[in-house]
């Protein structure tokens, strides 16, 4: 591997940009792909990026080519240091996510309740710009307080988070959509909000709801076909 | 620091470095595809391609890759004669691509 290529790869990784190193296993010939659409192996690279799995494929000439996929570690950002978040945080951590919990209500956002996650006892307009939401970030609004959840949802949609979910009944969600629409969030963005949040597994306790949310996030990350 | 950052740092310090990468696995391989082992000319290494089973063999091959500059594709596993000596305890099979960082 050329040092230049390694340096460019490390720069992409530091910037949380997906990158693929393509290596011809017979000759050792190599390239770094940051814009998959323009590559001769665009389809194969697209699949590898979606699954997050590295592996050997054949190129047009039938040669074995190794695709080493470097996708940023996924993040999960939550608003609402609530009961569900107390299970969802550790669950996501176990699945390899970096987790941040945002809640300005300092009675909720305590290190005792959230010992192992990044805790931001701040309003979303302060915390979220610093957290730099991106397409490898999942966001869930759990606070039940529109003053906290609404601005965070708008920012998560704008930032292209791969998953955006919001807790609340259908009626709560309809009211939320009206508010966000009034604030100028486009319809296409609003349709991306998953609400009611979580896969329908009959969850009743906060911990079970956390499982249903994590399952939904995983399904969206892996582009699984979900029954609508 | 993660392994690819270490690799860049070692190379910038002027050390001769080889990078080994797991490119294929069959059966119960101990380390996933894409895992790296970083080796310098003195045989110092970091990372893992097999959780310890074949590292010593990869390190000695890496010395030759560093000397020649030519990459190599290595295979280890139970079907291989050498596997009984430097094999995977779990019965899997892996291919490891070793290249010089230049």
């Amino acid at each position: 591997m050329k040092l230049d290529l390694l340096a460019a790869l490390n720069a992409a990784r530091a910037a949380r940009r997906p990158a693929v190193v393509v290596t011809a296993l017979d000759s050792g010939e190599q390239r770094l792909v940051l814009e998959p659409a323009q590559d001769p192996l665009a389809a194969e690279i697209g699949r590898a990026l979606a699954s997050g799995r590295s592996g050997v494929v054949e190129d047009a000439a039938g040669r074995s080519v190794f695709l080493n996929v470097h996708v940023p570690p996924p993040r999960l950002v939550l608003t609402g240091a609530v009961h569900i978040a107390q299970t969802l945080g550790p669950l996501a951590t176990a699945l390899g996510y970096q987790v941040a919990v945002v809640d300005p209500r300092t009675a909720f956002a305590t290190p005792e309740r959230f010992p192992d996650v990044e805790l931001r006892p701040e309003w979303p307009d302060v915390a979220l710009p610093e957290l730099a939401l991106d397409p490898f970030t999942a966001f869930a609004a759990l606070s039940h307080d529109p003053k906290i959840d609404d601005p965070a949802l708008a920012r998560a949609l704008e930032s292209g988070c791969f998953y955006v979910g919001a807790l609340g009944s259908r009626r709560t969600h309809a009211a939320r959509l009206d508010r966000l629409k009034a604030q100028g969030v486009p319809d296409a963005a609003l349709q991306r909000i998953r609400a009611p949040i979580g896969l329908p597994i009959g969850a009743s306790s906060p911990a079970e709801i956390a499982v249903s949310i994590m399952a939904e996030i995983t399904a969206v990350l892996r582009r699984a076909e979900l029954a609508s | 620091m993660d392994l690819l950052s270490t690799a860049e740092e070692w190379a910038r310090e002027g050390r001769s470095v080889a990078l080994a990468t797991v490119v294929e696995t069959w059966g119960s391989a101990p380390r996933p595809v894409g895992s790296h082992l970083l080796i310098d000319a003195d045989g110092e290494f970091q990372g893992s391609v097999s959780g310890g089973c074949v590292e010593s063999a990869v390190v000695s091959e890496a010395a030759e890759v560093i000397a020649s500059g030519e990459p190599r594709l290595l295979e280890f596993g139970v079907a291989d004669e050498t596997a009984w000596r430097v094999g995977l305890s779990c019965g899997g099979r892996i291919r490891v691509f070793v290249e010089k960082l230049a």
Side-chain angles (χ1 to χ4, degrees):
Chain A
M1 185 181 285
K2 292 205 165 54
L3 184 52
D4 288 356
L5 190 152
L6 177 61
L9 171 63
N10 282 338
R13 292 165 62 237
R16 289 183 59 84
R17 239 186 119 183
V20 178
V21 177
V22 180
T23 306
L25 289 178
D26 53 358
S27 65
E29 197 183 318
Q30 235 161 18
R31 65 181 182 271
L32 176 67
V33 178
L34 299 173
E35 302 289 344
Q38 290 149 31
D39 194 89
L41 290 171
E44 290 82 356
I45 290 171
R47 278 195 292 276
L49 282 170
S51 69
R53 286 206 193 98
S54 302
V56 175
V57 299
E58 280 197 359
D59 71 6
R63 297 186 310 167
S64 289
V65 173
F66 176 59
L67 306 181
N68 207 359
V69 174
H70 300 269
V71 289
R75 293 190 305 189
L76 173 63
V77 175
L78 308 174
T79 47
V82 296
H83 208 157
I84 294 169
Q86 283 180 280
T87 301
L88 188 50
L91 197 55
T93 304
L95 269 66
Y97 287 71
Q98 302 165 347
V99 180
V101 175
V102 178
D103 196 328
R105 302 169 299 182
T106 47
F108 288 77
T110 65
E112 290 74 26
R113 285 162 48 86
F114 293 90
D116 298 315
V117 303
E118 181 181 355
L119 195 58
R120 310 288 301 238
E122 300 160 328
W123 287 94
D125 62 342
V126 175
L128 295 188
E130 289 171 19
L131 289 168
L133 307 183
D134 65 22
F136 293 88
T137 303
F139 172 78
L142 307 176
S143 82
H144 274 310
D145 183 341
K147 290 195 301 299
I148 300 169
D149 285 346
D150 284 7
L153 279 165
R155 182 172 276 272
L157 291 168
E158 200 178 71
S159 309
C161 289
F162 75 87
Y163 173 94
V164 179
L167 191 66
S169 66
R170 283 175 209 287
R171 203 167 59 183
T172 306
H173 187 57
R176 170 161 46 215
L177 290 179
D178 288 342
R179 290 192 307 271
L180 289 170
K181 197 172 175 160
Q183 288 163 28
V185 180
D187 281 342
L190 293 176
Q191 283 166 13
R192 291 191 52 228
I193 302 176
R194 293 184 178 262
I197 199 169
L199 294 188
I201 59 171
S204 63
S205 68
E208 287 176 3
I209 294 168
V211 169
S212 80
I213 296 171
M214 203 59 236
E216 188 174 55
I217 292 171
T218 306
V220 173
L221 177 71
R222 299 306 178 200
R223 300 188 193 178
E225 298 279 338
L226 294 179
S228 50
Chain B
M1 189 187 288
D2 86 299
L3 205 69
L4 291 177
S5 303
T6 305
E8 188 179 338
E9 193 180 282
W10 283 15
R12 293 203 190 283
E13 287 169 4
R15 292 157 83 167
S16 295
V17 180
L19 186 66
T21 309
V22 178
V23 297
E24 277 185 290
T25 65
W26 296 266
S28 60
R31 295 279 288 139
V33 170
S35 301
H36 291 298
L37 180 69
L38 176 68
I39 312 104
D40 79 357
D42 297 329
E44 191 180 323
F45 65 91
Q46 277 193 27
S48 164
V49 288
S50 73
C53 313
V54 302
E55 266 69 13
S56 61
V58 175
V59 168
S60 63
E61 293 274 351
E64 294 173 36
V65 169
I66 288 172
S68 71
E70 293 299 316
R72 289 188 186 185
L73 190 56
L74 312 175
E75 188 166 329
F76 301 95
V78 288
D80 186 323
E81 184 65 20
T82 60
W84 296 106
R85 286 188 286 114
V86 289
L88 298 171
S89 54
C90 45
R93 204 147 62 87
I94 60 171
R95 286 170 100 189
V96 178
F97 184 74
V98 187
E99 62 191 313
K100 185 176 181 176
L101 200 55

